[in-house]
C-alpha cells in the first residue's frame, strides 16, 4: 500500500520544493547528463555490442549515477525527483531516436527504477511504477525487432530480457499519447536576475528596483506627491467654461463663484430662449414652477404639523411667500423660479 508523500522535514529544516525538479534548473541539467550517458554508451556499444548491459552498468557507475538516489531524502520532494528523472529517460525512447540511443534509455530506466533503496533505515520513498505515454510504450515494445541486423543482433537477448522483466512485473503505467503535450518539461523557466532586469528595462520606460522600496525611495515619493499637490492647489480656480460649446459644460466643475455665475446665466438664457419660442414651452415652464411651489407647500404643512419653524410664518420675507409671489407673476412674462436664482447671483 502506497501513501501520498507529504512534508516530513522537522521544524526549521530545509527541504527542496517539488517545483525545483520540474523547473529548467533541474530538467535542463538532467537532460544534459542523460545525453552524455547515452552518447557514451552508443559509441562504446557500437564497438563491442556483445556485453551491452555490463557495458552500460560500468558507464553508469563511472559517471556517478549510482549516487543519484541519495540526492533527495524528503518524501514530498523525492516523489517529484523520481518521476521527473524517469520521464526524462523515457523521452529518449521516441521512434525518432537512433536504436542504440533507445537501448541506452531503456537500460537507464531499468537501472534507475530497479535500484531504488528499499532496505535503508529509515526507508526512502520509492515510486511503484514507470509512467510512460502510450506511443512511447509502442516504440519500446518494437525495439527488439529492430535488432535483427548482423551488427546489432548481439543486443537482442539482453534487451528482450530487460524489457520482459519490466512487462512481467507490471512496472508500466500507461498514460495518454505524448502528442497531447500533457507532460511537457520544464514547467517553470528560471530567468537569471541580470536577464530579468534586461527584459524589464526593455518593456518599461525605467527599470524598477527589485525588492521593497528603501526609506530614501519612500521619502522621495512622498516629497514628489506633496509638491504635486501644492502645485495643484496654487493653480486656483478652473477657467471659465467656453460658452461656444454649452453642451460640454455639464462635464466641467467650475470652482470660483464668478465662473459658476457666468456659466449659469448663459445656460439659463439659452434655455429660456428655447422655451419662450412656443406656447408649449411656456406651458412646460409654468407647470414646472407650479410643481415646485406645490411641493414646498406640502413640506411647509408637514413641518408645521410637527411644531417646526416653517417658511410661511415669516410673512413676505420668508422663502415660501417669495416663491408664491414669483410663480403668481409668471403671466406678466416672468421666468418664475429661474429668475429668483438669477437675482440671488446678482445680489452676490
Amino acid at each position: 500500500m502506497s501513501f501520498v508523500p507529504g512534508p516530513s522535514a522537522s521544524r526549521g529544516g530545509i527541504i527542496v520544493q517539488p517545483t525545483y525538479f520540474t523547473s529548467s534548473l533541474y530538467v535542463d541539467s538532467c537532460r544534459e547528463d542523460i545525453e552524455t550517458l547515452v552518447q557514451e554508451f552508443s559509441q562504446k556499444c557500437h564497438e563491442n555490442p556483445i556485453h551491452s548491459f555490463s557495458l552500460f552498468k560500468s558507464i553508469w557507475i563511472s559517471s556517478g549515477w549510482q549516487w543519484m538516489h541519495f540526492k533527495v531524502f524528503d518524501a514530498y520532494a523525492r516523489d517529484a525527483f523520481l518521476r521527473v528523472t524517469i520521464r526524462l529517460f523515457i523521452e529518449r525512447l521516441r521512434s525518432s531516436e537512433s536504436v542504440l540511443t533507445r537501448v541506452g534509455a531503456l537500460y537507464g530506466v531499468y537501472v534507475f527504477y530497479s535500484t531504488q533503496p528499499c532496505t535503508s533505515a529509515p526507508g526512502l520513498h520509492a515510486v511503484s511504477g514507470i509512467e510512460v505515454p502510450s506511443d512511447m510504450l509502442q516504440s519500446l515494445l518494437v525495439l527488439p525487432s529492430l535488432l535483427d541486423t548482423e551488427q546489432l543482433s548481439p543486443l537482442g537477448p539482453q534487451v528482450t530480457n530487460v524489457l520482459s522483466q519490466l512487462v512481467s512485473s507490471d512496472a508500466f503505467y500507461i498514460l495518454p499519447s505524448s502528442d497531447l503535450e500533457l507532460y511537457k518539461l520544464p514547467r517553470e523557466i528560471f530567468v537569471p536576475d541580470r536577464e530579468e532586469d534586461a527584459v524589464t528595462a526593455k518593456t518599461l520606460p525605467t527599470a524598477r528596483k527589485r525588492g521593497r522600496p528603501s526609506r530614501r525611495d519612500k521619502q522621495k515619493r512622498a516629497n514628489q506627491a506633496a509638491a504635486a499637490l501644492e502645485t495643484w492647489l496654487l493653480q486656483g480656480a478652473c477657467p471659465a467654461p467656453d460658452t461656444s460649446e454649452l453642451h460640454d459644460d455639464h462635464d466641467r466643475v467650475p470652482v470660483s463663484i464668478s465662473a459658476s455665475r457666468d456659466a449659469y446665466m448663459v445656460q439659463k438664457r439659452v434655455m429660456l430662449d428655447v422655451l419662450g419660442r412656443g406656447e408649449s414651452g411656456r406651458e412646460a415652464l409654468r407647470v414646472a414652477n407650479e410643481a415646485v411651489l406645490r411641493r414646498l407647500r406640502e413640506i411647509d404643512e408637514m413641518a408645521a404639523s410637527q411644531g417646526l419653524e416653517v417658511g410661511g410664518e415669516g410673512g413676505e420675507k420668508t422663502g415660501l411667500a417669495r416663491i408664491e409671489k414669483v410663480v403668481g407673476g409668471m403671466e406678466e412674462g416672468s421666468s418664475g423660479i429661474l429668475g429668483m436664482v438669477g437675482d440671488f447671483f446678482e445680489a452676490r
Side-chain angles (χ1 to χ4, degrees), residues 41 52-62 107 111:
F41 169 76
S52 61
F53 189 72
S54 299
L55 174 63
F56 181 84
K57 287 196 300 181
S58 64
I59 299 174
W60 180 275
I61 295 173
S62 63
Y107 287 167
V111 175

Side-chain angles (χ1 to χ4, degrees), residues 111-173:
V111 175
F112 187 80
Y113 174 75
S114 303
T115 57
Q116 297 180 86
C118 58
T119 59
S120 59
L124 294 178
H125 173 75
V127 294
S128 57
I130 300 173
E131 298 176 346
V132 55
S134 58
D135 57 327
M136 297 288 189
L137 181 60
Q138 292 296 329
S139 176
L140 182 59
L141 294 177
V142 299
L143 183 59
S145 63
L146 303 177
L147 304 174
D148 56 357
T149 62
E150 181 180 356
Q151 184 178 5
L152 299 178
S153 57
L155 293 169
Q158 300 175 74
V159 172
T160 303
N161 180 45
V162 170
L163 186 58
S164 62
Q165 289 191 41
L166 292 175
V167 173
S168 60
S169 61
D170 295 329
F172 292 118
Y173 286 173

Side-chain angles (χ1 to χ4, degrees), residues 55-225:
L55 174 63
F56 181 84
K57 287 196 300 181
S58 64
I59 299 174
W60 180 275
I61 295 173
S62 63
S63 302
W65 277 89
Q66 78 275 22
W67 307 114
M68 192 69 171
H69 282 293
F70 301 100
K71 184 179 182 67
V72 183
F73 294 97
D74 183 76
Y76 188 56
R78 183 174 176 79
D79 186 74
F81 158 69
L82 295 174
R83 295 180 186 277
V84 169
T85 305
I86 292 176
R87 187 179 303 173
L88 295 177
F89 273 108
I90 293 293
E91 288 180 352
R92 307 308 301 269
L93 293 174
R94 59 175 61 95
S95 57
S96 58
E97 300 284 355
S98 65
V99 176
L100 289 179
T101 298
R102 293 158 69 179
V103 171
L106 171 61
Y107 287 167
V109 171
Y110 175 75
V111 175
F112 187 80
Y113 174 75
S114 303
T115 57
Q116 297 180 86
C118 58
T119 59
S120 59
L124 294 178
H125 173 75
V127 294
S128 57
I130 300 173
E131 298 176 346
V132 55
S134 58
D135 57 327
M136 297 288 189
L137 181 60
Q138 292 296 329
S139 176
L140 182 59
L141 294 177
V142 299
L143 183 59
S145 63
L146 303 177
L147 304 174
D148 56 357
T149 62
E150 181 180 356
Q151 184 178 5
L152 299 178
S153 57
L155 293 169
Q158 300 175 74
V159 172
T160 303
N161 180 45
V162 170
L163 186 58
S164 62
Q165 289 191 41
L166 292 175
V167 173
S168 60
S169 61
D170 295 329
F172 292 118
Y173 286 173
I174 304 177
L175 302 178
S177 174
S178 59
D179 296 338
L180 301 176
E181 295 187 352
L182 299 177
Y183 323 102
K184 191 174 182 179
L185 292 172
R187 295 179 182 175
E188 300 85 11
I189 305 298
F190 173 73
V191 180
D193 292 344
R194 292 183 180 179
E195 183 177 348
E196 184 177 359
D197 293 340
V199 173
T200 305
K202 293 180 181 179
T203 56
L204 299 177
T206 57
R208 291 185 177 181
K209 294 182 179 179
R210 295 174 58 83
R212 297 182 180 179
S214 62
R215 182 177 301 178
R216 182 178 180 181
D217 293 337
K218 291 181 180 179
Q219 184 64 38
K220 183 179 180 180
R221 294 177 186 176
N223 293 338
Q224 292 176 350

